[in-house]
Amino acid sequence: LHVDVHGGGHLAVIAPMLVNAASVGSFVPDNASWTEFQQTASDIDLKVSKNGVINAINISKEGTQIYGNKLHITAATYIDNATIKDAMIANLSANKLTAGSINAAKINVYNLNGSNIVAHSITADKLIAGSMLIAMNSTLQTLKIGTDGLYTTDRSGKAIGKIHTNNSVQHPNDWGLDFDLNSDGKFMSWGAQNEGDPNGNYGIKFGWTRNSSARDFGMPWGGFWFNDNVMLHKNLRFDGGGIDVKDAYQLMKFAWIGMNGIKYPFFGSSNLKAGWLFGSHETYLVRNGGIINASKVLGALNGQKLIVPTKIRSNGTIAVYTTYHL
């Protein structure tokens, strides 16, 4: 079949079917490929069809439209203003991405590496990292989350201490929680706001202070200290220590004194010169280093009569005796 069109005429064929056979059977769609180019005063159309797949470009005063199942751009591409409904990027380099704000209902990140991550809230089932450095209150004071604990620094970045798990030196199989203060740290404390005062300061209720900074807290020496009532539900043990009573002449001391090869618990003055010893059945009085069995003295006097002369005659004889019941 050969058609020639001359002049201004045109030919339109709809659903053509060419058959090279003795008879014409049922209609079979043409799967041949072809290209079309159309140019009018208002638009330009480019179209390529093959096996039912159509790729086309339409340019008109309303805009430019591209139809097709695949678009491959090899040159540098610049989009000033675009809305992308759906896309997949095979390889994305972080230094090519600049965003003032990203708002998404859900973003799955499998590996995250960044020098500065700012977030109001991060929720994760599991977060694995060699370490994380978190700025606190927009100051130089930081909290570092490492694989072996939580590290804190002061405002100059100097390490202060850490909270971590550790095993006992004497018992390497026994593990527990450690609060470690570095050599530059001055104190450790536990604070609390007063009840009903959510805007108040966190007053220190319990703490430990070095000797070098104890006087800054109003204490004569360092150590543990309390700013609240203390209740003990178990025994209190002193290993050679004492009790300091403010403005007292001597410290009260818990210790032991040896007598007859036995160590007796002592409670009294810090110089061990005055106080009491306690045995299993007897109580002893310590006076100027000497030891008196107070139980026997009190037992001898208990229930006895003491007759004391209370009036003496001029010749020296006793006129009146007074009896005292002990």
Side-chain angles (χ1 to χ4, degrees):
L1 175 64
H2 180 79
V3 178
D4 290 331
V5 178
H6 300 278
H10 66 277
L11 173 68
V13 179
I14 299 177
M17 184 177 68
L18 303 179
V19 179
N20 183 14
S23 62
V24 178
S26 301
F27 172 75
V28 179
D30 185 11
N31 59 0
S33 62
W34 69 87
T35 63
E36 296 181 16
F37 172 79
Q38 178 181 335
Q39 179 177 355
T40 66
S42 59
D43 59 15
I44 298 175
D45 282 326
L46 299 175
K47 182 169 66 175
V48 176
S49 302
K50 183 178 182 180
N51 297 329
V53 179
I54 300 175
N55 294 279
I57 299 177
N58 176 261
I59 304 174
S60 65
K61 64 180 181 178
E62 286 80 12
T64 301
Q65 295 180 337
I66 301 176
Y67 305 91
N69 64 335
K70 182 183 294 185
L71 178 62
H72 186 192
I73 302 175
T74 59
T77 304
Y78 301 89
I79 303 176
D80 292 335
N81 189 8
T83 299
I84 301 175
K85 293 184 178 180
D86 191 11
M88 180 178 66
I89 301 175
N91 296 289
L92 177 62
S93 177
N95 59 4
K96 300 296 184 181
L97 177 63
T98 302
S101 176
I102 297 177
N103 187 1
K106 182 177 181 181
I107 296 178
N108 294 326
V109 180
Y110 295 99
N111 293 285
L112 179 62
N113 184 8
S115 60
N116 187 6
I117 298 175
V118 180
H120 294 291
S121 177
I122 297 177
T123 302
D125 294 329
K126 187 176 183 181
L127 183 61
I128 301 176
S131 65
M132 294 180 63
L133 189 63
I134 304 173
M136 300 172 64
N137 302 326
S138 300
T139 67
L140 294 179
Q141 187 179 3
T142 59
L143 172 65
K144 179 182 177 182
I145 304 176
T147 56
D148 59 342
L150 302 177
Y151 295 79
T152 60
T153 67
D154 62 11
R155 293 184 177 181
S156 65
K158 184 183 298 182
I160 297 299
K162 65 178 178 178
I163 303 174
H164 67 121
T165 59
N166 200 0
N167 59 340
S168 173
V169 176
Q170 293 82 5
H171 304 281
N173 294 326
D174 295 340
W175 288 78
L177 182 63
D178 262 7
F179 295 81
D180 291 342
L181 185 67
N182 286 17
S183 59
D184 294 323
K186 297 300 182 183
F187 70 95
M188 303 171 66
S189 66
W190 285 257
Q193 289 180 324
N194 291 330
E195 189 174 6
D197 187 12
N199 299 319
N201 295 327
Y202 288 86
I204 298 177
K205 304 301 182 182
F206 168 62
W208 179 89
T209 308
R210 296 188 188 277
N211 290 332
S212 59
S213 60
R215 295 190 181 277
D216 296 336
F217 293 86
M219 298 183 298
W221 56 77
F224 287 98
W225 48 284
F226 296 86
N227 277 340
D228 212 333
N229 297 327
V230 179
M231 179 178 291
L232 302 176
H233 294 279
K234 295 293 183 179
N235 296 332
L236 180 62
R237 177 175 178 176
F238 293 86
D239 290 334
I243 299 177
D244 182 12
V245 180
K246 186 178 180 181
D247 299 329
Y249 175 72
Q250 283 279 354
L251 293 179
M252 289 188 295
K253 189 177 185 65
F254 293 90
W256 60 266
I257 293 179
M259 183 175 62
N260 300 326
I262 300 175
K263 295 180 179 178
Y264 287 83
F266 168 83
F267 174 69
S269 63
S270 59
N271 59 6
L272 306 182
K273 297 295 184 180
W276 293 90
L277 292 182
F278 304 95
S280 59
H281 299 87
E282 303 288 349
T283 302
Y284 302 88
L285 176 65
V286 179
R287 179 178 180 274
N288 195 25
I291 300 176
I292 302 173
N293 192 325
S295 298
K296 291 184 178 181
V297 174
L298 295 176
L301 297 178
N302 186 26
Q304 301 298 318
K305 294 182 180 180
L306 181 61
I307 301 176
V308 180
T310 56
K311 187 174 182 181
I312 301 176
R313 299 184 184 92
S314 59
N315 59 3
T317 60
I318 300 175
V320 178
Y321 289 90
T322 301
T323 302
Y324 296 93
H325 296 276
L326 302 177

